[in-house]
Amino acid sequence: MTEMLHIVCPACQAKNRVPDNRLAANPSCGACKAPLFPAAPFELDEAKLNKHLKGDDIPLLVDFWAPWCGPCRMMAPMFAQAAGEMSPQLRFAKLDTEQHQTVGNRFQIRGIPLIILFDKGQEVARQAGAMDARGIVAWVRQNLKR
Ligand code: ZN
């Protein structure tokens, strides 16, 4: 049986309803036509993060990073590669902790790069330190209970 999933658009944050059997068919947003599962991880600020946590049925992995952080920049292509492997079962996003410092305080982030896995709006697991694509994928599979 098909299940209708709520997917928040990464471009305009409109809430879309997509049948689960169409997730892999590159669905686009009903409001702005942007792809709901873009090829690269999408950028979030705190307001957008809140909307994704509240309204999206797909688990979300967020890379908390900053432009001054060398290991973060090294990890970026690895994170993008993992996104290519795991989308659309998982959504991949990035959040710049220098631009959006209140988020860092809210999640008590002490060191970056840090990835946090969210499911149903709740933090499931977090991991600090640079990881390669294979490490990211393995870590997610280990921590995502579905
Ligand atoms: Zn949209």
Side-chain angles (χ1 to χ4, degrees), residues 86-141:
M86 300 200 83
S87 183
Q89 302 108 303
L90 187 67
R91 319 209 70 190
F92 282 73
K94 299 173 71 72
L95 199 144
D96 181 340
T97 56
E98 189 179 44
Q99 259 186 59
H100 310 291
Q101 293 185 3
T102 55
V103 184
N105 296 334
R106 174 175 155 196
F107 290 101
Q108 300 182 314
I109 293 170
R110 289 182 189 88
I112 51 171
L114 174 78
I115 54 174
I116 300 185
L117 177 63
F118 298 96
D119 191 15
K120 302 180 180 78
Q122 300 295 319
E123 178 175 337
V124 174
R126 64 168 65 192
Q127 178 73 42
M131 296 166 89
D132 62 15
R134 190 192 289 178
I136 294 167
V137 171
W139 179 82
V140 167
R141 296 219 162 107

Side-chain angles (χ1 to χ4, degrees), residues 9 11-14 29 31-34:
C9 172
C12 75
Q13 281 73 53
C29 174
C32 77
K33 308 297 175 208

